[in-house]
Amino acid sequence: MRAPKIIEVKKDDAPAMVADVARQLRLPLDLDCNKAFLQLVEPIGQGEIMSYETTQGLDCIMLDCYLEQPIELRLQGNFAQPLIMITVARGRVEVATQKGKFAVNELQGTIHGAYGQGEYTMKLPGKVKLLMLITLVHRKTFFQEISCGILQVPPELLQVIKGKNLGKRQFLFQDIYHLPAVDQVHSVIDHQETGLLHSTHASAALYQNMYLLLNEYKRVQGSKNSRLVRDVQKIETIRAAETILVSHLQDPPTIPMLSKMVGINQQTLKTGFRQLYGKTINNYLNDLRLEQAGILISAGELSIGEIANAVGYSNGGYFSRKFKQKYGVTPSKFA
């Protein structure tokens, strides 16, 4: 396993952190309204690392990328300890602070605060698709005009927000699975606008993600069963549906049939599938078929017609059009 590339960042606001990453990776930093972003290139990786900034002490780093080697972000200096919220849609991040270590796994949301002065590190794995949102809530700015008493959050979190009685323990809430919060990460990535429209949409999603995590913490703290299992069961059910699709590419079940096979209603299946895989069932199935078609074409053992039939396309012309939409060339010219 390759050692991580160390990137030291000196400020605790997201735009400055992403600018530090761009500088140390020697990549240009582009701006689009309230978004700053850098495009990864080989041999570093592929995809984007972005920051978004709102006007009220709330900003974030978003990763939609694939790294060829691990990267370790090291935040160093005396900072005001922003409340940090991490939502991982794909991949994993490992965090280490003065007061302890933890990991945020795929489909997990975390609220972290009161973690002590000194170095704050985030280790991002290599050879893994990463899609995650790291939100920084700058308490003194964000809450300065709010009477924290009216926030109606549990006392332990309220102390972190106010910066009082933090003690020796870090504040750490890790929900098992929280798909609505994950859905907001997909919402930002999938939004096609640029400029003000995109930044406005991203800011709204950022606030919504924060609300969902805070509300989930409040809900869990108020529940006698602090870890409800229905979300875990839902994830496993959706994954079972995906397994069925993968094994029946040539003749997949309809959505009504699939919902009956895994034992949940159609709307729950469609919504959960979109949250978990970032695509509708039909789009996921089409992408899967076309990826398999590309593999079969490269193998060179079947005709185009046989390949179209093997991955579930009975109409050769339709298959060619969909293939060209995805790969930019017709199947016969695909190398």
Side-chain angles (χ1 to χ4, degrees):
M1 182 180 297
R2 297 177 65 181
K5 179 177 179 58
I6 308 300
I7 297 180
E8 296 183 355
V9 292
K10 302 297 185 182
K11 296 183 179 180
D12 65 345
D13 64 281
M17 293 170 71
V18 170
D20 269 347
V21 172
R23 178 177 55 82
Q24 293 181 52
L25 292 179
R26 299 181 179 179
L27 295 173
L29 185 68
D30 295 311
L31 300 176
D32 178 25
C33 201
N34 291 337
K35 172 186 174 182
F37 61 99
L38 59 102
Q39 293 276 357
L40 298 180
V41 296
E42 299 294 348
I44 300 169
Q46 303 171 9
E48 286 187 337
I49 298 177
M50 299 156 272
S51 72
Y52 290 92
E53 184 176 22
T54 71
T55 58
Q56 298 179 334
L58 185 70
D59 50 48
C60 76
I61 298 171
M62 179 169 281
L63 297 102
D64 178 23
C65 60
Y66 177 92
L67 301 173
E68 289 294 342
Q69 74 176 96
I71 285 181
E72 187 171 298
L73 299 177
R74 291 183 179 176
L75 176 59
Q76 298 176 321
N78 294 318
F79 303 115
Q81 293 192 45
L83 191 66
I84 297 179
M85 301 181 182
I86 303 173
T87 304
V88 177
R90 290 282 185 274
R92 169 185 171 91
V93 59
E94 297 177 3
V95 177
T97 74
Q98 182 186 41
K99 293 185 179 181
K101 299 179 180 180
F102 64 93
V104 188
N105 297 306
E106 193 166 279
L107 306 177
Q108 194 170 28
T110 292
I111 305 173
H112 192 211
Y115 38 78
Q117 298 296 337
E119 192 171 84
Y120 191 109
T121 68
M122 295 184 182
K123 185 176 179 181
L124 305 167
K127 304 295 185 181
V128 173
K129 169 67 176 175
L130 301 177
L131 179 56
M132 66 182 69
L133 174 68
I134 302 169
T135 303
L136 308 177
V137 185
H138 304 280
R139 294 177 292 110
K140 290 185 177 180
T141 303
F142 189 80
F143 295 109
Q144 65 181 352
E145 297 181 358
I146 300 176
S147 172
C148 288
I150 68 171
L151 290 178
Q152 298 181 348
V153 296
E156 187 179 10
L157 179 57
L158 189 60
Q159 288 180 353
V160 174
I161 291 172
K162 291 182 175 182
K164 297 179 179 179
N165 303 318
L166 300 182
K168 295 182 178 180
R169 292 190 305 111
Q170 64 182 339
F171 174 86
L172 181 64
F173 169 68
Q174 292 191 275
D175 188 33
I176 297 176
Y177 296 114
H178 195 51
L179 293 184
V182 170
D183 211 25
Q184 295 306 308
V185 184
H186 286 295
S187 175
V188 176
I189 294 299
D190 293 344
H191 193 71
Q192 298 299 311
E193 300 288 350
T194 59
L196 179 62
L197 289 177
H198 181 71
S199 290
T200 301
H201 175 84
S203 294
L206 186 58
Y207 276 98
Q208 180 70 0
N209 174 270
M210 180 182 70
Y211 162 76
L212 289 167
L213 290 180
L214 288 173
N215 195 58
E216 183 69 3
Y217 170 69
K218 179 181 177 182
R219 182 188 69 81
V220 168
Q221 291 299 107
S223 172
K224 292 181 181 180
N225 178 9
S226 63
R227 285 292 181 266
L228 301 179
V229 299
R230 66 174 182 269
D231 288 340
V232 181
Q233 293 173 339
K234 178 180 175 182
I235 295 293
E236 293 306 317
T237 300
I238 301 300
R239 284 180 168 155
E242 191 267 350
T243 299
I244 292 172
L245 290 177
V246 171
S247 60
H248 293 80
L249 279 184
Q250 191 173 35
D251 186 23
T254 63
I255 292 176
M257 291 171 58
L258 187 60
S259 68
K260 290 181 180 180
M261 293 169 74
V262 297
I264 57 175
N265 67 58
Q266 293 181 47
Q267 190 57 48
T268 300
L269 173 63
K270 290 189 290 187
T271 300
F273 202 97
R274 171 66 176 77
Q275 291 172 329
L276 185 55
Y277 294 104
K279 302 175 183 177
T280 66
I281 293 174
N282 286 333
N283 286 344
Y284 186 88
L285 180 61
N286 282 329
D287 281 348
L288 199 62
R289 284 170 157 174
L290 294 172
E291 289 168 6
Q292 183 63 28
I295 293 172
L296 293 174
I297 292 171
S298 297
E301 297 179 358
L302 299 175
S303 70
I304 300 300
E306 289 173 329
I307 290 171
N309 185 65
V311 298
Y313 289 95
S314 57
N315 185 312
Y318 180 71
F319 166 67
S320 293
R321 288 195 301 273
K322 299 300 290 185
F323 193 93
K324 187 174 182 179
Q325 287 176 9
K326 181 174 178 64
Y327 291 107
V329 296
T330 62
S332 60
K333 295 182 179 179
F334 184 77

